[in-house]
Amino acid sequence: MARGAPPRGRDLTSGPIAPALLAFAMPMLISSILQSLNGSINAIWVGRFLGENALAATSNANLVMFLLMAFVFGFGMASTILIGQAFGRKDVDGARRIIGTAIGAFLLFVILLTAAGWVFAPALLELLGTPSGAAPLALAYLRVIFFAMPSMLVMVMLMMALRGSGDALTPLWFMILSAVLDSGLNPVFILGFGPAPRLGIAGSATATVIANYTALIGMLIYIYARDLPLRLRGPELGYLKPDPALLKVIVLKGLPMGLQMIVISASSLAMLGLVNREGVDTTAAFGVAMQLWTYVQMPAMSLGGAVSAMVAQNIGAGRWDRVSAVTRAGVAFTLLITAALVAILIVADRPALALFLGGDSPALPIARHIHLLATWSFLLFGITLVLFGTVRANGAVIGPLLILTIGLFPVRLGFAALFHASLGADALWLSFPVASAVNMVLAIAFYLHGGWRKGGMGAGAPIGLDDSIEEANASTEPGGRLNPSG
């Protein structure tokens, strides 16, 4: 489809803003909830069948995986914004060049990263201070789950690219497939039902590997069968050979994005190291609390992603008059939905937590205490995510990176370390709302005064031209980079 022809992705540049944003965000929200539900069900299987040590092991191993995927995820988010801007300009061929370059360049990278992660898994777990009772289980789980990384990368990049084109439904269908397979196969391989071998905690990881590769293959078949706009055919397959100019833009945008993910990951790993010192019960309780937090923060993450895609298309179309209205709608929906979830979980925290641990677990009262002290902070965090979703749509990433670094390191970890002597473990849990409040205040200041509207790719320029690269390289504009995710 030539540049200027109407794309078949969803047009987010016209019509009422609030209904369009909500309609676009809902499939993303359902997809996020399913992803979270999948992780929670798997944690239930592991916790009930294999015990607290196994649950603590998966918490440690999953944080390592998140750390290793961070850079690649950043490049995927950068590509999504560029694709959204291309669709705003009705430049479908430009969008195909972006997705081809992104997948062609970073698939080899993630394969090498997978191999390195498998080799260095024991050192990573030791660096975390993984409890001795959980360390062998964490290593067994981590080494199998590494084999899922290539499929995870391509699936994440394709899903994000489709959303950038305005298609939130296709990723939802294949997230459903992945979640159903993963959750359903977990007990089969953990316990060895039928012809399946009894693999214990490695069985949980095996189920994830099978589910991800099956969903990826199914999604590729669907994209080509439906002839969706981002498919590559014939000469377009040559786009998988990375375009140097495009790749430079994606790297310059995605590298700071990856650094933001590294900041989040490193902060989580450092926090987990502090939690591990409190013992296995506290580590298991923290892991379960994080399962609930995943649900609480998913609406904000989904709405932040929807805001980013919608703003990117409007910037690409030159519709700056709609950007602030999209942001306000995103903040309002985020506060409303997140507040409702926080209220529900405050009322029903005991039965929700007992799903993972059982009613008699010594970790249950610890998990309830963590939940009551920290969960409300995601109201503040949600506002930050939506504001960052807006500014990243025009390439702003340096400001958000600095904001996250301040909030998650000197503020969160500093508070936890400084007040641990007087507050004990409560200092760890209270550090979450303290950091969220600081991040929110700084995010509002950056949104209002950060100059991010002057950066980015430029609404009318084709991706990859020299003027775009010059803007991506600009060091004088603090807003000239891409997204944080929290």
Side-chain angles (χ1 to χ4, degrees):
M1 192 177 298
R3 187 169 185 253
R8 290 189 292 119
R10 181 169 185 167
D11 184 4
L12 301 173
T13 63
S14 61
I17 287 173
L21 177 63
L22 191 59
F24 183 61
M26 285 309 295
M28 297 173 65
L29 176 57
I30 295 169
S31 179
S32 298
I33 291 172
L34 283 171
Q35 189 174 21
S36 303
L37 184 62
N38 176 38
S40 298
I41 292 172
N42 292 349
I44 291 170
W45 294 133
V46 170
R48 288 299 185 91
F49 293 150
L50 302 173
E52 280 85 355
N53 279 337
L55 195 58
T58 58
S59 297
N60 280 262
N62 285 334
L63 276 173
V64 172
M65 285 296 296
F66 185 75
L67 177 65
L68 294 178
M69 287 290 289
F71 274 116
V72 175
F73 188 69
F75 298 132
M77 295 190 79
S79 302
T80 299
I81 302 304
L82 299 179
I83 287 170
Q85 291 192 10
F87 267 77
R89 296 191 305 275
K90 296 180 171 55
D91 181 11
V92 179
D93 186 69
R96 289 173 182 162
R97 291 177 183 274
I98 294 163
I99 189 62
T101 290
I103 291 178
F106 299 112
L107 182 57
L108 177 61
F109 172 77
V110 83
I111 290 172
L112 295 175
L113 186 65
T114 297
W118 196 92
V119 171
F120 294 107
L124 289 170
L125 292 172
E126 184 178 353
L127 183 64
L128 269 183
T130 306
S132 58
L137 294 170
L139 180 59
Y141 178 87
L142 191 58
R143 280 190 156 163
V144 175
I145 205 74
F146 271 127
F147 288 106
M149 278 190 70
S151 64
M152 288 178 178
L153 162 72
V154 177
M155 227 170 101
V156 164
M157 294 191 82
L158 283 176
M159 286 181 172
M160 293 169 70
L162 288 166
R163 289 168 182 151
S165 74
D167 180 2
L169 284 174
T170 299
L172 173 60
W173 305 137
F174 291 95
M175 180 56 67
I176 291 173
L177 175 61
S178 176
V180 169
L181 284 175
D182 197 0
S183 300
L185 291 175
N186 250 262
V188 172
F189 286 100
I190 290 174
L191 299 176
F193 291 152
R198 184 184 181 95
L199 298 176
I201 196 170
S204 179
T206 299
T208 300
V209 172
I210 293 172
N212 274 275
Y213 279 102
T214 302
L216 172 61
I217 292 169
M219 184 161 59
L220 288 171
I221 292 172
Y222 180 85
I223 287 171
Y224 280 88
R226 295 293 302 274
D227 197 32
L228 297 185
L230 291 178
R231 92 291 180 274
L232 303 178
R233 293 186 186 276
E236 294 169 343
L237 292 171
Y239 295 165
L240 290 169
K241 180 181 179 181
D243 180 290
L246 264 179
L247 183 59
K248 184 174 183 180
V249 174
I250 292 172
V251 170
L252 287 169
K253 299 288 186 180
L255 187 60
M257 179 87 69
L259 288 174
Q260 292 165 22
M261 300 297 290
I262 291 292
V263 167
I264 296 168
S265 304
S267 173
S268 297
L269 293 174
M271 179 61 67
L272 186 60
L274 297 176
V275 172
N276 283 337
R277 297 177 186 177
E278 306 292 328
V280 169
D281 286 340
T282 301
T283 301
F286 182 61
V288 171
M290 286 195 294
Q291 289 289 336
L292 294 186
W293 293 347
T294 300
Y295 289 101
V296 175
Q297 70 182 340
M298 278 303 171
M301 295 180 70
S302 299
L303 282 158
V307 165
S308 191
M310 195 168 183
V311 169
Q313 283 201 15
N314 280 281
I315 290 174
R319 294 297 308 272
W320 280 93
D321 55 301
R322 291 167 57 88
V323 169
S324 296
V326 172
T327 304
R328 289 194 299 269
V331 169
F333 285 135
T334 294
L335 288 175
L336 182 64
I337 298 172
T338 304
L341 287 176
V342 170
I344 291 169
L345 288 176
I346 286 175
V347 172
D349 64 335
R350 182 179 178 86
L353 293 164
L355 284 172
F356 302 94
L357 296 165
D360 298 326
S361 171
L364 180 59
I366 302 172
R368 293 187 70 193
H369 185 66
I370 294 170
H371 167 64
L372 289 173
L373 288 181
T375 302
W376 67 271
S377 67
F378 287 100
L379 284 165
L380 312 180
F381 187 57
I383 295 172
T384 302
L385 285 179
V386 172
L387 296 178
F388 284 173
T390 296
V391 302
R392 78 186 183 201
N394 200 39
V397 75
I398 297 300
L401 173 60
L402 293 176
I403 290 169
L404 284 174
T405 302
I406 292 168
L408 297 180
F409 280 95
V411 175
R412 177 183 291 176
L413 296 179
F415 182 93
L418 183 63
F419 289 96
H420 190 270
S422 57
L423 298 176
D426 282 357
L428 303 178
W429 325 135
L430 290 172
S431 70
F432 285 88
V434 170
S436 293
V438 171
N439 277 336
M440 182 190 70
V441 170
L442 293 176
I444 292 172
F446 182 76
Y447 175 78
L448 294 175
H449 307 295
W452 58 273
R453 292 172 180 83
K454 301 175 184 177
M457 299 299 301
I463 300 295
L465 295 184
D466 290 342
D467 55 342
S468 297
I469 297 171
E470 288 172 6
E471 287 187 14
N473 277 320
S475 59
T476 58
E477 174 51 58
R481 300 292 183 265
L482 264 192
N483 159 64
S485 155

